[in-house]
Amino acid sequence: MATKVSSDISTNVDITARKNDSFYLQVTITNSDSTPFDLTDFTSIELSIKNPNNVEVKRFYRGHVANINTDEVNKAASVSYGTPTEGVITINVPAVTVVLEPSLSAGTYNNMNILVGSYPYTLKITSATETHTVLHGKFKVVD
């Protein structure tokens, strides 16, 4: 008799986005009894898109400190979780970010300039004691 146990709570969801367009994703996380998952103690949210060699192509992140990193991989993005007890994560990425502040690497950054193709991604939430991969799958970019 075979017995299986899995602690993987992640859901496999494939996402399609258009190259150089804005990107919007809203995810509602629930407990097994369908009540909202409480995000109060979670300190970061991260959507990481990698190439087939496991090298990060884009990373949209929110932690305790405002995300001011504007390099070509770690993009400035609007990642939020609203009221933490509602379990809703929103990733709202403009196509372009213009940074005027010289101390924050002033310039214009193309947030969604990912090459057309299919990439593995994960959406993770992290607290001081836990990390949960909420979503995983393929992030497909079309022209």
Side-chain angles (χ1 to χ4, degrees), residues 121-134:
Y121 82 91
T122 55
L123 175 62
K124 292 183 180 184
I125 57 174
T126 305
S127 74
T129 58
E130 300 176 58
T131 297
H132 295 291
T133 300
V134 177

Side-chain angles (χ1 to χ4, degrees), residues 1-138:
M1 175 178 186
T3 303
K4 293 183 181 182
V5 175
S6 176
S7 65
D8 184 6
I9 63 167
S10 179
T11 301
N12 186 340
V13 175
D14 292 340
I15 298 170
T16 300
R18 187 159 303 277
K19 181 180 177 179
N20 295 322
D21 276 6
S22 298
F23 176 73
Y24 182 86
L25 175 69
Q26 190 170 67
V27 177
T28 301
I29 305 170
T30 58
N31 295 305
S32 59
D33 64 359
S34 298
T35 58
F37 185 86
D38 189 349
L39 295 166
T40 301
D41 294 331
F42 286 83
T43 55
S44 70
I45 302 166
E46 173 188 69
L47 174 65
S48 176
I49 304 166
K50 297 184 177 183
N51 69 18
N53 295 326
N54 206 32
V55 175
E56 204 160 47
V57 175
K58 296 289 177 185
R59 177 177 181 250
F60 302 106
Y61 175 84
R62 177 182 178 133
H64 278 306
V65 179
N67 181 19
I68 57 173
N69 193 341
T70 54
D71 69 30
E72 277 302 314
V73 172
N74 298 294
K75 304 308 290 184
S78 178
V79 177
S80 62
Y81 52 82
T83 304
T85 56
E86 294 176 353
V88 177
I89 295 172
T90 303
I91 301 169
N92 189 7
V93 183
V96 174
T97 299
V98 178
V99 178
L100 301 176
E101 177 62 44
S103 66
L104 301 179
S105 301
T108 300
Y109 299 91
N110 296 314
N111 294 325
M112 295 303 292
N113 62 344
I114 304 171
L115 295 175
V116 171
S118 185
Y119 305 86
Y121 82 91
T122 55
L123 175 62
K124 292 183 180 184
I125 57 174
T126 305
S127 74
T129 58
E130 300 176 58
T131 297
H132 295 291
T133 300
V134 177
L135 296 177
H136 70 280
K138 295 292 180 192

